[in-house]
Amino acid sequence: MNCENKEIADALRHEIIMLQSDRLVKLESERKLEQRLKVGRQRIREVISQLVSEGLLVKYEGKGTYIAPLVKNEFVNIICSPDIKLNDPFYNRMLMELTGYSAKNSVNMIPLTMDTLENGDIISPVLMIGKFAEEHLEKIKKAYSQIISFENYPDDDDFVQIYFDHFKIGMNAAKVLAAYGHMKVIHITGPASFASALYRKDGFIRGAIKNGMEYTVLESKMNFAGGYSLGDEVAELVSQEQYTAIFAANDWMAIGLIQALRTKGLEVPDYVSLLSVDNIPLAGQFAPALTTYSLDANMVIAECFSLMNTARTSQKEKHFQKRVILQPVLITRDTLKKTGNR
């Protein structure tokens, strides 16, 4: 970091530490910082990136930059569902960001399994990654009083649940595609063992029916190879039956399908539009860049630690009974066009 940036970073770092609390605090906009500090936008962005890497700031795509909450928990337990697929991009990113966030804030993570529940720190929260079967959930409840889940359990209200509503994502995808004039849509999805895929599919079907759309659902593995393998079926539906758009359950399936269609001379979005979910790093670098829903793992983690810190000082939240439903952001890029622009 050059001397000018270091001076700005030191000044902002001091301000941030003074403003830091047990809750998320929004940072001034880049424009206001630029005007107040009398420096260029590029320099402001470089300094913010540095402070994000230090764990003092958290950036939410489409929502702004926030001061990271103070972390007061020395330990946190973490347990992954036995049903989690190793190639699930959302959970992989979640675990990576959670590990990084904990390391930056000197929080010791204690990994657990269903067979080692007794090895955790029982006075610290346990974070549940993935969807757990009811019998496993009950065992975790008996072992720990402070539980935070990153999935939705509609019939349980006795622990914290921080999650994106995958059903509503599916419904919104149908609404967006209908608004672009696409009334014959293919949904490519993964097996029902992926909770996110199941809920997105159910939501999409509900949304398609609500918007009077004709739809077809194709299932495959929820990765690049799975999307690629659907190329023949999708190509036939697009060429022979005039389907005009695709909703993919995640970005990797979308990228695999795009490559498969390309080998058949069907370019996205010239022949068919595409909308997907996850906003993986490759989504904006791939050609064509994906129009996709951003599910920000940083947002989930920051909300998680903010709530844990608040619960330490608030009797009302001591027993961890709360739902935090996060909203995805639609990142509009190159793969979605109105039907009249094909």
Side-chain angles (χ1 to χ4, degrees), residues 186 218-219 229-238 264:
I186 304 160
L218 303 177
E219 183 178 311
S229 70
L230 295 174
D232 288 340
E233 291 178 85
V234 171
E236 183 175 347
L237 289 169
V238 171
K264 303 175 188 305

Side-chain angles (χ1 to χ4, degrees), residues 254-273:
I255 291 171
L257 178 61
I258 289 173
Q259 292 289 68
L261 293 178
R262 183 168 288 158
T263 65
K264 303 175 188 305
L266 299 176
E267 291 287 344
V268 173
D270 295 338
Y271 284 88
V272 62
S273 285

Side-chain angles (χ1 to χ4, degrees), residues 127-173:
L127 309 185
M128 300 196 311
I129 309 294
K131 191 79 171 181
F132 285 79
E134 186 64 31
E135 60 185 271
H136 291 161
L137 180 59
E138 290 305 315
K139 288 181 180 179
I140 295 171
K141 285 183 183 181
K142 288 179 181 178
Y144 294 88
S145 60
Q146 296 184 345
I147 299 172
I148 298 179
S149 168
F150 298 138
E151 288 286 352
N152 176 23
Y153 293 83
D155 299 326
D156 290 277
D157 292 310
D158 52 353
F159 56 92
V160 171
Q161 300 174 49
I162 304 173
Y163 58 92
F164 290 97
D165 192 328
H166 297 289
F167 184 88
K168 286 188 177 179
I169 290 172
M171 281 197 69
N172 186 260

Side-chain angles (χ1 to χ4, degrees), residues 160-320:
V160 171
Q161 300 174 49
I162 304 173
Y163 58 92
F164 290 97
D165 192 328
H166 297 289
F167 184 88
K168 286 188 177 179
I169 290 172
M171 281 197 69
N172 186 260
K175 180 179 178 181
V176 168
L177 292 173
Y180 274 74
H182 298 287
M183 301 308 291
K184 294 189 70 171
V185 178
I186 304 160
H187 177 39
I188 64 170
T189 185
S193 56
F194 286 87
S196 59
L198 175 62
Y199 294 142
R200 289 170 196 172
K201 180 185 72 173
D202 290 347
F204 174 76
I205 291 173
R206 177 75 64 85
I209 293 171
K210 182 177 180 180
N211 286 280
M213 303 164 73
E214 184 178 340
Y215 66 91
T216 294
V217 177
L218 303 177
E219 183 178 311
S220 187
K221 292 182 179 179
M222 212 165 170
N223 54 25
F224 178 94
Y228 195 93
S229 70
L230 295 174
D232 288 340
E233 291 178 85
V234 171
E236 183 175 347
L237 289 169
V238 171
S239 301
Q240 304 299 323
E241 300 189 35
Q242 304 303 304
Y243 279 80
T244 63
I246 302 155
F247 171 48
N250 72 9
D251 291 342
W252 278 117
M253 290 190 83
I255 291 171
L257 178 61
I258 289 173
Q259 292 289 68
L261 293 178
R262 183 168 288 158
T263 65
K264 303 175 188 305
L266 299 176
E267 291 287 344
V268 173
D270 295 338
Y271 284 88
V272 62
S273 285
L274 186 144
L275 170 63
S276 59
V277 185
D278 275 341
N279 195 33
I280 61 175
L282 185 59
Q285 302 166 9
F286 186 76
L290 300 183
T291 294
T292 182
Y293 289 94
S294 175
L295 309 184
D296 196 330
N298 279 321
M299 186 187 302
V300 178
I301 293 163
E303 288 284 356
C304 170
F305 278 94
S306 176
L307 193 146
M308 285 193 293
N309 293 332
T310 302
R312 289 171 62 90
T313 57
S314 171
Q315 292 298 313
K316 291 181 180 179
E317 294 191 5
K318 184 176 180 180
H319 298 295
F320 271 54

